[in-house]
Amino acid sequence: GFCLLSVDVMSAADKTGYLIGSIEGRVAVQHVEDSIGQTKNFTFKCHREGNDIYAVNSIEFHPVHGTFVTAGSDGTYNFWDKDSKQRLKAMAKCSYGAEPAPITCGGFNADGGIYAYGLSYDWSKGFQAYNPSQMPSYIHLHGTQEAEVKARPKTPTTRK
């Protein structure tokens, strides 16, 4: 099964589908039209470290470039290009000491120049593990660089 956690509709430029993030550390790229979906729908694993699997808590499309960012319970956020099926940039992990600091939400400003994200306990370990004095909530701002969020040019494939 695929446990739904977060959803975002594809960029304003194409609006052909949506993304679904799961508590199982996966993202599904789904297209609405059957003619497109047969060849372009796919699922990929992310927010994993060794055998540890973390929830995808937030997915957001870049408002200009049509790429997207995922943020997870592992304390990381990653920029992705759905068309090339590649990670554009993996960002450093946020932590509360030795424990990951879950990123519970995130979003771009209107021109995509800033990605804001919130660190907070996400309740994935239950109320017993919550200690507000050791797990304060924070809001961080990341000034995006074009190389992090702009899709890479497609390289032509050659057949022999």
Side-chain angles (χ1 to χ4, degrees):
F2 204 86
C3 298
L4 175 68
L5 188 61
S6 55
V7 177
D8 196 13
V9 176
M10 289 192 190
S11 69
D14 93 7
K15 292 187 181 176
T16 59
Y18 53 94
L19 300 173
I20 303 171
S22 81
I23 60 171
E24 300 161 337
R26 298 176 201 240
V27 171
V29 177
Q30 298 291 307
H31 291 80
V32 177
E33 299 213 14
D34 288 338
S35 60
I36 296 173
Q38 297 298 321
T39 58
K40 290 195 173 184
N41 287 348
F42 66 96
T43 301
F44 66 94
K45 297 175 183 178
C46 56
H47 299 284
R48 294 167 181 240
E49 188 175 317
N51 291 328
D52 295 329
I53 299 171
Y54 298 91
V56 178
N57 293 330
S58 177
I59 301 173
E60 182 81 17
F61 272 98
H62 190 276
V64 175
H65 299 298
T67 54
F68 65 96
V69 61
T70 61
S73 292
D74 60 346
T76 66
Y77 61 99
N78 300 285
F79 297 107
W80 304 90
D81 179 1
K82 70 175 175 51
D83 296 326
S84 68
K85 299 180 181 179
Q86 292 184 11
R87 180 176 16 219
L88 298 171
K89 177 84 180 211
M91 304 308 285
K93 179 184 280 195
C94 302
S95 65
Y96 295 128
E99 290 294 313
I103 300 175
T104 54
C105 60
F108 289 103
N109 69 335
D111 69 4
I114 298 172
Y115 177 67
Y117 58 98
L119 303 178
S120 179
Y121 185 68
D122 68 355
W123 305 102
S124 61
K125 295 180 181 177
F127 73 92
Q128 302 92 337
Y130 180 54
N131 183 339
S133 65
Q134 293 180 354
M135 301 174 181
S137 298
Y138 294 104
I139 296 175
H140 290 269
L141 302 176
H142 171 74
T144 61
Q145 304 299 310
E146 195 168 272
E148 296 171 339
V149 296
K150 187 174 181 181
R152 295 192 180 119
K154 292 185 179 17
T155 54
T157 55
T158 57
R159 294 185 174 234
K160 292 183 179 185

